[in-house]
């Protein structure tokens, strides 16, 4: 919730943050993976994905945010690779800012150091020593850790090159990306075919196709149209809101907006393949929808009063 509010605040100011608070009060679909007593990896990964992106977006305005983005990225990778796309987007945002503005060098360096240290420590703490040299496509393993650490260290070194021009900065970030991709392919090329590349194909028929959260949105709509439309409604509304925000000049030139829009779009596409990704789209979408609302001091004060009224009513009802 804190990450979503930070995203809304960054895009639309205080009024957007208050709208996001109101949406969170009634946005029950966002809390499907956060039901009390539910022990699972999805909720932690969703929270880390939102926090990673929020920290990366605020890294140009808050000194602590760049390092926090690196730490959150390393923890997200350690828990699972479901949110890998959003970790990559956060890293790409840090790199783009550095290429466009040399003043972002220090932030990139802090991000790279934090990513490398957190990924290495999480791997060592969460993997038995006898498995340190074993590769995997669906979990944090040596073929994921080494590329993450190498890329982080190269980005950290790039951030130390304060006097280089834009072309050199672009080359340094490209080197970090190339090193990560190259090491990943060299260590385990089978993983290019997806997270389930090492799984016995027979398991698809006898297990995977029967996992409810792994079914596609079109399949769910054929089986249960009402449930399918419920999953699709919020991401669809958020994509429309993102298109409206893209028309605003201030946001159209802001890498922070495009990183959030890209995360939302990827989460929506992932939902088409597996409905478990809908939760990511909803959490990102709350911030985008909230940012569409008008932003004025009068409107902000009115929203604040309405929010306080709703909270008081809920407390009195309790």
């Amino acid at each position: 919730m804190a990450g979503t509010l930070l995203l809304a605040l960054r895009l639309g100011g205080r009024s957007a943050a208050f709208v996001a608070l109101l949406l969170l009060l009634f946005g029950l679909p966002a809390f499907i993976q956060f039901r009390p007593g539910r022990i699972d990896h999805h909720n932690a990964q969703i929270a880390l994905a939102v926090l990673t992106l929020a920290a990366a977006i605020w890294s140009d305005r808050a000194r602590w945010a760049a390092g926090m983005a690196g730490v959150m990225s390393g923890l997200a990778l350690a828990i699972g690779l479901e949110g890998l796309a959003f970790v990559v987007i956060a890293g790409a945002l840090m790199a783009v800012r550095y290429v466009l503005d040399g003043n972002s060098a220090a932030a990139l360096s802090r991000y790279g150091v934090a990513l490398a240290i957190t990924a290495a420590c999480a791997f060592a703490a969460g993997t038995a020593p006898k498995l340190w040299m074993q590769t995997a496509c669906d979990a944090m393993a040596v073929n994921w850790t080494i590329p993450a650490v190498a890329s982080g260290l190269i980005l950290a070194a790039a951030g130390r090159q304060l006097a280089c021009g834009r072309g050199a900065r672009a080359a340094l970030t490209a080197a970090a990306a190339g090193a990560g991709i190259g090491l990943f392919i060299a260590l385990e090329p089978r993983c290019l075919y997806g997270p389930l590349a090492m799984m016995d194909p027979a398991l698809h028929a006898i297990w995977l196709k029967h996992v409810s959260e792994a079914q596609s949105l079109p399949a769910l709509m054929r089986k249960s149209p009402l449930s399918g439309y419920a999953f699709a409604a919020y991401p669809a509304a958020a994509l429309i809101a993102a298109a409206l925000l893209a028309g605003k000049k201030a946001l159209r030139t802001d890498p922070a907006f495009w990183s959030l829009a890209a995360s939302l779009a990827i989460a929506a596409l992932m939902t088409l393949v597996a409905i478990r990704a809908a939760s990511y789209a909803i959490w990102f979408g709350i911030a985008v929808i909230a940012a569409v609302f008008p932003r004025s001091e009068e409107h902000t004060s009115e929203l604040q009063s309405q929010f306080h009224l709703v909270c008081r009513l809920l407390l009195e009802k309790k």
Side-chain angles (χ1 to χ4, degrees):
M1 291 173 70
T4 299
L5 294 177
L6 284 172
L7 290 172
L9 182 65
R10 182 66 166 79
L11 259 63
R14 290 177 57 216
S15 63
F18 282 117
V19 172
L21 279 171
L22 291 171
L23 291 175
L24 285 170
L25 283 175
F26 304 103
L28 296 182
F31 294 92
I32 290 176
Q33 297 289 354
F34 296 87
R35 295 190 302 273
R38 177 173 173 78
I39 300 175
D40 198 75
H41 61 102
H42 294 303
N43 43 34
Q45 288 178 291
I46 293 166
L48 286 169
V50 174
L51 289 170
T52 297
L53 188 61
I57 282 178
W58 278 93
S59 64
D60 62 338
R61 300 186 182 183
R63 181 179 174 82
W64 57 266
M68 185 61 67
V71 171
M72 295 294 104
S73 296
L75 292 176
L77 293 175
I79 292 177
L81 303 172
E82 184 178 289
L84 176 63
F86 312 116
V87 172
V88 171
I89 289 174
L93 173 60
M94 301 295 299
V96 167
R97 280 181 174 159
Y98 167 69
V99 172
L100 297 178
D101 182 7
N103 293 324
S104 299
L108 182 71
S109 185
R110 289 193 294 272
Y111 166 78
V113 169
L115 171 61
I117 292 176
T118 306
C121 292
F123 170 73
T127 306
K130 66 179 181 180
L131 300 177
W132 280 0
M133 299 310 295
Q134 182 174 316
T135 59
C137 294
D138 61 345
M140 191 69 163
V142 64
N143 56 308
W144 292 94
T145 305
I146 290 179
V149 172
S151 297
L153 292 177
I154 295 174
L155 289 175
R160 298 290 182 178
Q161 308 303 314
L162 302 179
C164 60
R166 181 173 293 184
R169 295 197 298 269
L172 287 170
T173 55
I181 295 172
L183 287 168
F184 174 74
I185 295 174
L187 290 169
E188 185 49 85
R190 287 179 293 177
C191 293
L192 290 174
Y193 295 96
L196 304 180
M198 294 173 136
M199 189 177 77
D200 189 327
L203 290 175
H204 283 271
I206 65 176
W207 169 65
L208 189 60
K209 68 179 295 185
H210 302 292
V211 177
S212 59
E213 66 184 23
Q215 64 181 311
S216 67
L217 182 61
L220 177 63
M221 285 185 165
R222 289 193 296 270
K223 184 186 301 183
S224 176
L226 186 60
S227 297
Y229 287 118
F231 273 103
Y234 220 115
L239 288 172
I240 294 173
L244 293 173
L245 288 175
K248 298 180 180 294
K249 185 177 180 180
L251 292 178
R252 194 165 56 242
T253 57
D254 187 355
F257 164 70
W258 288 112
S259 63
L260 178 55
S263 298
L264 172 62
I266 289 175
L269 289 174
M270 290 169 60
T271 303
L272 293 175
V273 179
I275 57 173
R276 62 170 174 263
S279 293
Y280 291 91
I282 292 173
W283 282 99
F284 291 134
I286 287 173
V288 175
I289 292 173
V292 170
F293 283 74
R295 288 168 287 181
S296 66
E297 289 300 322
E298 181 181 352
H299 188 250
T300 300
S301 299
E302 182 181 349
L303 283 172
Q304 188 172 3
S305 299
Q306 292 174 354
F307 176 72
H308 290 161
L309 175 61
V310 170
C311 291
R312 188 166 68 250
L313 292 173
L314 289 173
L315 289 173
E316 289 175 355
K317 183 178 180 180
K318 181 180 179 181

